[in-house]
Amino acid sequence: MLHVIHRIREQFLNLTRHWFVRDVVTLQIGSFAGTLVQAIAGVALARLLQPELFGLYTLAFSMASVASIVLSSGAQDAVTTIAGEAHARKDATTLKNSLAFLIKYGLSAGAVASVLALLAPWIADMLYGNRIIGLYAEVLILASIISTLLYSVTLVALQVSGMISRLAFLTLMDSLVRYLCSILLFVVGFGVLGAVMGHMVGAIVVALFAALSWRTIVRTDSLFPRLRSLIIQVSRVSLRRHLGFSYKTTTLQHLKHRRQTPLDTPASNKKINSTQTLYK
């Protein structure tokens, strides 16, 4: 019996030494910590705001979630696939263009979301008879737009480069800073406006930290472009050309995962080779 337990223990220790297992555990810890922060912050805000004000806060989030549909349409997942394949092939051009596309898509989606933000007070007045709810929703939509730009592309770069610990830390930091700022601004006397403004302040802080993270990314992996060069490339990359390809990639990946059996592994499946001819 002791021999069996010792053997299981050795197998477990050998498994934890594998880089893939360590990365998965790191991501899970970061995800769990972020969820825990949101849960605790939600309880704290509900306690501080009290039912009436917390109701306004919740309604503002509900309205802002409509804009989040535009901002999170799966482009990040498609770009992660493209960038990962380009990085594996040491194709710096495709890698740079895919990351630039994600920023350009974020700007385009942000423009659409901005229109929704301008309409939010009018919609809130029609639905709830209270324009203030729409103004709160405007702030939350702007915070989402900020997060969609540099933060999202940095997450992709960290994932592709294998910097999982920094990826988990940045994800946790996003939740932690947002809710801490929300609680702090409410406590100092800004009310519900402070609670929603905290998300914008947090988004700006995290975006600045993401910009600083690019120094580490470029220093660690020279295949990635500098942030300044990437921003310049945004104006040159074709949005229409990549939109169709991103949709195709996302659909194929979704179908592949649905058809994948437990015995299949990513290495045993054929890769999507369309990226090899995308920039020819």
Side-chain angles (χ1 to χ4, degrees):
M1 184 66 180
L2 292 176
H3 175 71
V4 174
I5 295 175
H6 178 72
R7 184 177 179 182
I8 294 175
R9 179 175 175 273
E10 288 296 322
Q11 290 179 348
F12 177 77
L13 291 175
N14 290 333
L15 186 64
T16 56
R17 294 189 186 101
H18 196 282
W19 64 268
F20 177 77
V21 176
R22 291 200 305 269
D23 287 348
V24 170
V25 171
T26 301
L27 281 176
Q28 288 299 321
I29 291 174
S31 177
F32 173 77
T35 304
L36 184 63
V37 167
Q38 292 181 25
I40 295 174
V43 173
L45 283 170
R47 178 86 178 191
L48 290 170
L49 291 170
Q50 296 301 315
E52 183 177 353
L53 295 181
F54 188 70
L56 296 178
Y57 179 80
T58 304
L59 287 174
F61 260 97
S62 297
M63 290 191 63
S65 65
V66 177
S68 68
I69 298 175
V70 178
L71 295 170
S72 56
S73 62
Q76 182 175 336
D77 295 332
V79 168
T80 301
T81 301
I82 300 169
E85 293 182 359
H87 187 269
R89 298 195 312 269
K90 306 297 181 183
D91 186 350
T93 301
T94 303
L95 178 61
K96 183 178 182 180
N97 285 337
S98 62
L99 296 175
F101 159 74
L102 184 57
I103 296 178
K104 191 165 188 174
Y105 176 84
L107 290 171
S108 302
V112 177
S114 297
V115 175
L116 297 177
L118 292 175
L119 295 174
W122 177 76
I123 296 174
D125 188 39
M126 292 285 293
L127 294 176
Y128 311 113
N130 191 341
R131 294 177 62 88
I132 298 298
I133 297 175
L135 294 174
Y136 295 155
E138 278 186 343
V139 177
L140 293 172
I141 292 173
L142 291 176
S144 298
I145 293 172
I146 294 171
S147 293
T148 303
L149 298 175
L150 192 55
Y151 173 71
S152 295
V153 75
T154 303
L155 291 183
V156 173
L158 290 172
Q159 183 176 349
V160 171
S161 62
M163 302 174 66
I164 304 301
S165 297
R166 187 172 286 269
L167 170 64
F169 174 75
L170 186 60
T171 305
L172 174 60
M173 183 182 177
D174 181 50
S175 298
L176 189 61
V177 173
R178 281 171 177 266
Y179 284 99
L180 281 178
C181 290
S182 295
I183 294 173
L184 180 62
L185 289 176
F186 176 82
V187 170
V188 298
F190 288 97
V192 181
L193 178 62
V196 296
M197 281 294 296
H199 289 274
M200 177 177 285
V201 174
I204 294 173
V205 171
V206 173
L208 291 174
F209 187 83
L212 294 175
S213 297
W214 271 94
R215 293 184 178 182
T216 304
I217 295 172
V218 174
R219 186 167 57 247
T220 305
D221 192 335
S222 59
L223 198 63
F224 284 89
R226 294 185 178 275
L227 184 58
R228 189 174 189 178
S229 175
L230 182 62
I231 293 174
I232 294 173
Q233 187 65 19
V234 169
S235 61
R236 301 172 181 171
V237 72
S238 172
L239 185 63
R240 178 183 296 182
R241 185 180 186 183
H242 287 73
L243 270 176
F245 180 75
S246 297
Y247 175 77
K248 177 182 176 182
T249 304
T250 305
T251 304
L252 289 175
Q253 285 295 100
H254 177 69
L255 292 174
K256 184 180 74 172
H257 287 309
R258 287 192 63 181
R259 295 175 61 184
Q260 192 177 43
T261 65
L263 296 178
D264 289 332
T265 60
S268 66
N269 292 296
K270 293 182 179 180
K271 292 184 177 179
I272 300 172
N273 296 318
S274 302
T275 51
Q276 296 178 0
T277 59
L278 183 61
Y279 298 102
K280 288 185 179 180

Short mmCIF file of all heavy atoms in Angstrom, two decimals, residues 186-217:
data_model
loop_
_atom_site.label_atom_id
_atom_site.label_comp_id
_atom_site.label_asym_id
_atom_site.label_seq_id
_atom_site.Cartn_x
_atom_site.Cartn_y
_atom_site.Cartn_z
N PHE A 186 -15.97 55.65 -3.96
CA PHE A 186 -17.27 55.74 -3.28
C PHE A 186 -17.10 56.18 -1.83
O PHE A 186 -17.84 57.03 -1.33
CB PHE A 186 -18.00 54.39 -3.33
CG PHE A 186 -19.30 54.40 -2.57
CD1 PHE A 186 -20.44 54.91 -3.16
CD2 PHE A 186 -19.36 53.94 -1.27
CE1 PHE A 186 -21.65 54.94 -2.45
CE2 PHE A 186 -20.55 53.96 -0.56
CZ PHE A 186 -21.69 54.46 -1.15
N VAL A 187 -16.11 55.60 -1.16
CA VAL A 187 -15.88 55.90 0.25
C VAL A 187 -15.52 57.36 0.47
O VAL A 187 -15.95 57.98 1.46
CB VAL A 187 -14.79 54.97 0.83
CG1 VAL A 187 -14.35 55.43 2.23
CG2 VAL A 187 -15.29 53.54 0.89
N VAL A 188 -14.76 57.96 -0.46
CA VAL A 188 -14.34 59.36 -0.28
C VAL A 188 -15.45 60.34 -0.63
O VAL A 188 -15.28 61.55 -0.48
CB VAL A 188 -13.09 59.69 -1.11
CG1 VAL A 188 -11.91 58.84 -0.66
CG2 VAL A 188 -13.35 59.51 -2.60
N GLY A 189 -16.61 59.83 -1.10
CA GLY A 189 -17.75 60.72 -1.25
C GLY A 189 -18.28 60.96 -2.64
O GLY A 189 -19.11 61.84 -2.83
N PHE A 190 -17.86 60.18 -3.64
CA PHE A 190 -18.33 60.39 -5.01
C PHE A 190 -19.58 59.57 -5.34
O PHE A 190 -20.09 59.66 -6.46
CB PHE A 190 -17.23 60.05 -6.01
CG PHE A 190 -16.12 61.08 -6.04
CD1 PHE A 190 -14.95 60.88 -5.32
CD2 PHE A 190 -16.27 62.23 -6.79
CE1 PHE A 190 -13.94 61.82 -5.35
CE2 PHE A 190 -15.26 63.18 -6.82
CZ PHE A 190 -14.09 62.98 -6.10
N GLY A 191 -20.06 58.77 -4.41
CA GLY A 191 -21.30 58.04 -4.60
C GLY A 191 -21.23 57.01 -5.71
O GLY A 191 -20.17 56.42 -5.98
N VAL A 192 -22.37 56.80 -6.38
CA VAL A 192 -22.43 55.82 -7.46
C VAL A 192 -21.51 56.22 -8.62
O VAL A 192 -20.89 55.37 -9.26
CB VAL A 192 -23.88 55.66 -7.97
CG1 VAL A 192 -23.95 54.61 -9.08
CG2 VAL A 192 -24.81 55.28 -6.84
N LEU A 193 -21.39 57.51 -8.85
CA LEU A 193 -20.48 57.98 -9.91
C LEU A 193 -19.05 57.54 -9.62
O LEU A 193 -18.33 57.11 -10.53
CB LEU A 193 -20.55 59.50 -10.02
CG LEU A 193 -19.62 60.13 -11.07
CD1 LEU A 193 -19.97 59.62 -12.46
CD2 LEU A 193 -19.70 61.66 -11.01
N GLY A 194 -18.65 57.62 -8.35
CA GLY A 194 -17.32 57.15 -7.98
C GLY A 194 -17.16 55.66 -8.19
O GLY A 194 -16.10 55.19 -8.62
N ALA A 195 -18.23 54.90 -7.90
CA ALA A 195 -18.17 53.45 -8.07
C ALA A 195 -17.97 53.06 -9.53
O ALA A 195 -17.24 52.11 -9.83
CB ALA A 195 -19.45 52.81 -7.52
N VAL A 196 -18.62 53.80 -10.45
CA VAL A 196 -18.44 53.48 -11.87
C VAL A 196 -17.16 54.12 -12.43
O VAL A 196 -16.49 53.54 -13.30
CB VAL A 196 -19.66 53.92 -12.70
CG1 VAL A 196 -20.88 53.13 -12.29
CG2 VAL A 196 -19.93 55.40 -12.59
N MET A 197 -16.80 55.29 -11.91
CA MET A 197 -15.55 55.93 -12.34
C MET A 197 -14.33 55.11 -11.96
O MET A 197 -13.30 55.15 -12.63
CB MET A 197 -15.43 57.33 -11.73
CG MET A 197 -16.25 58.41 -12.42
SD MET A 197 -15.67 58.74 -14.11
CE MET A 197 -14.02 59.37 -13.78
N GLY A 198 -14.46 54.34 -10.88
CA GLY A 198 -13.35 53.48 -10.48
C GLY A 198 -12.96 52.49 -11.55
O GLY A 198 -11.79 52.15 -11.71
N HIS A 199 -13.94 52.04 -12.33
CA HIS A 199 -13.64 51.11 -13.42
C HIS A 199 -12.86 51.80 -14.54
O HIS A 199 -11.96 51.19 -15.13
CB HIS A 199 -14.95 50.52 -13.96
CG HIS A 199 -15.60 49.56 -13.03
ND1 HIS A 199 -15.28 48.23 -12.98
CD2 HIS A 199 -16.55 49.76 -12.07
CE1 HIS A 199 -16.00 47.63 -12.06
NE2 HIS A 199 -16.79 48.53 -11.49
N MET A 200 -13.16 53.06 -14.79
CA MET A 200 -12.41 53.78 -15.81
C MET A 200 -10.99 54.07 -15.34
O MET A 200 -10.02 53.88 -16.09
CB MET A 200 -13.10 55.10 -16.17
CG MET A 200 -12.32 55.93 -17.18
SD MET A 200 -13.14 57.43 -17.70
CE MET A 200 -14.39 56.75 -18.77
N VAL A 201 -10.86 54.52 -14.09
CA VAL A 201 -9.53 54.78 -13.54
C VAL A 201 -8.70 53.50 -13.54
O VAL A 201 -7.53 53.49 -13.92
CB VAL A 201 -9.63 55.36 -12.12
CG1 VAL A 201 -8.25 55.49 -11.48
CG2 VAL A 201 -10.34 56.71 -12.13
N GLY A 202 -9.34 52.40 -13.12
CA GLY A 202 -8.63 51.12 -13.12
C GLY A 202 -8.22 50.68 -14.50
O GLY A 202 -7.11 50.15 -14.69
N ALA A 203 -9.09 50.90 -15.50
CA ALA A 203 -8.76 50.53 -16.88
C ALA A 203 -7.56 51.33 -17.39
O ALA A 203 -6.70 50.79 -18.09
CB ALA A 203 -9.97 50.76 -17.78
N ILE A 204 -7.49 52.61 -17.03
CA ILE A 204 -6.37 53.45 -17.45
C ILE A 204 -5.07 52.98 -16.79
O ILE A 204 -4.02 52.88 -17.44
CB ILE A 204 -6.64 54.92 -17.11
CG1 ILE A 204 -7.82 55.45 -17.94
CG2 ILE A 204 -5.40 55.78 -17.35
CD1 ILE A 204 -8.28 56.84 -17.55
N VAL A 205 -5.14 52.67 -15.49
CA VAL A 205 -3.94 52.20 -14.76
C VAL A 205 -3.44 50.89 -15.36
O VAL A 205 -2.23 50.72 -15.60
CB VAL A 205 -4.26 52.02 -13.27
CG1 VAL A 205 -3.10 51.32 -12.56
CG2 VAL A 205 -4.54 53.36 -12.62
N VAL A 206 -4.35 49.96 -15.63
CA VAL A 206 -3.97 48.67 -16.20
C VAL A 206 -3.42 48.83 -17.61
O VAL A 206 -2.47 48.14 -18.01
CB VAL A 206 -5.16 47.70 -16.18
CG1 VAL A 206 -4.84 46.41 -16.92
CG2 VAL A 206 -5.57 47.38 -14.75
N ALA A 207 -3.99 49.76 -18.39
CA ALA A 207 -3.49 50.02 -19.74
C ALA A 207 -2.06 50.55 -19.69
O ALA A 207 -1.21 50.16 -20.51
CB ALA A 207 -4.40 51.02 -20.45
N LEU A 208 -1.77 51.42 -18.74
CA LEU A 208 -0.40 51.93 -18.58
C LEU A 208 0.55 50.82 -18.19
O LEU A 208 1.68 50.73 -18.69
CB LEU A 208 -0.38 53.05 -17.53
CG LEU A 208 -1.09 54.35 -17.92
CD1 LEU A 208 -1.11 55.32 -16.74
CD2 LEU A 208 -0.42 55.00 -19.12
N PHE A 209 0.11 49.95 -17.30
CA PHE A 209 0.94 48.82 -16.89
C PHE A 209 1.17 47.87 -18.07
O PHE A 209 2.25 47.30 -18.23
CB PHE A 209 0.29 48.09 -15.73
CG PHE A 209 1.15 47.02 -15.13
CD1 PHE A 209 2.12 47.34 -14.20
CD2 PHE A 209 1.01 45.69 -15.51
CE1 PHE A 209 2.94 46.35 -13.64
CE2 PHE A 209 1.81 44.70 -14.97
CZ PHE A 209 2.77 45.04 -14.03
N ALA A 210 0.13 47.70 -18.91
CA ALA A 210 0.27 46.85 -20.09
C ALA A 210 1.30 47.42 -21.05
O ALA A 210 2.08 46.69 -21.66
CB ALA A 210 -1.08 46.69 -20.78
N ALA A 211 1.29 48.76 -21.19
CA ALA A 211 2.28 49.41 -22.06
C ALA A 211 3.69 49.17 -21.55
O ALA A 211 4.62 48.91 -22.33
CB ALA A 211 1.98 50.90 -22.14
N LEU A 212 3.86 49.25 -20.23
CA LEU A 212 5.17 48.98 -19.64
C LEU A 212 5.58 47.51 -19.82
O LEU A 212 6.76 47.19 -19.94
CB LEU A 212 5.17 49.34 -18.16
CG LEU A 212 5.00 50.82 -17.82
CD1 LEU A 212 4.90 51.03 -16.31
CD2 LEU A 212 6.16 51.64 -18.38
N SER A 213 4.59 46.62 -19.86
CA SER A 213 4.88 45.20 -20.03
C SER A 213 5.49 44.89 -21.39
O SER A 213 6.17 43.88 -21.55
CB SER A 213 3.60 44.37 -19.84
OG SER A 213 3.09 44.51 -18.54
N TRP A 214 5.23 45.76 -22.37
CA TRP A 214 5.78 45.52 -23.71
C TRP A 214 7.30 45.58 -23.71
O TRP A 214 7.95 44.92 -24.53
CB TRP A 214 5.21 46.52 -24.71
CG TRP A 214 3.95 46.01 -25.32
CD1 TRP A 214 2.68 46.25 -24.91
CD2 TRP A 214 3.83 45.13 -26.44
NE1 TRP A 214 1.78 45.58 -25.70
CE2 TRP A 214 2.45 44.89 -26.64
CE3 TRP A 214 4.75 44.52 -27.29
CZ2 TRP A 214 1.98 44.07 -27.66
CZ3 TRP A 214 4.29 43.71 -28.31
CH2 TRP A 214 2.93 43.48 -28.48
N ARG A 215 7.88 46.35 -22.81
CA ARG A 215 9.34 46.37 -22.72
C ARG A 215 9.87 45.00 -22.35
O ARG A 215 10.85 44.52 -22.92
CB ARG A 215 9.78 47.40 -21.66
CG ARG A 215 9.48 48.84 -22.04
CD ARG A 215 10.05 49.78 -20.98
NE ARG A 215 9.82 51.17 -21.33
CZ ARG A 215 10.24 52.20 -20.61
NH1 ARG A 215 10.91 51.98 -19.48
NH2 ARG A 215 10.01 53.44 -21.00
N THR A 216 9.20 44.36 -21.40
CA THR A 216 9.61 43.02 -20.99
C THR A 216 9.39 42.01 -22.11
O THR A 216 10.22 41.13 -22.35
CB THR A 216 8.82 42.59 -19.74
OG1 THR A 216 8.99 43.56 -18.71
CG2 THR A 216 9.28 41.23 -19.25
N ILE A 217 8.27 42.15 -22.81
CA ILE A 217 7.96 41.22 -23.91
C ILE A 217 9.01 41.30 -25.01
O ILE A 217 9.54 40.29 -25.47
CB ILE A 217 6.56 41.51 -24.48
CG1 ILE A 217 5.47 41.24 -23.44
CG2 ILE A 217 6.31 40.67 -25.73
CD1 ILE A 217 4.09 41.68 -23.85
#
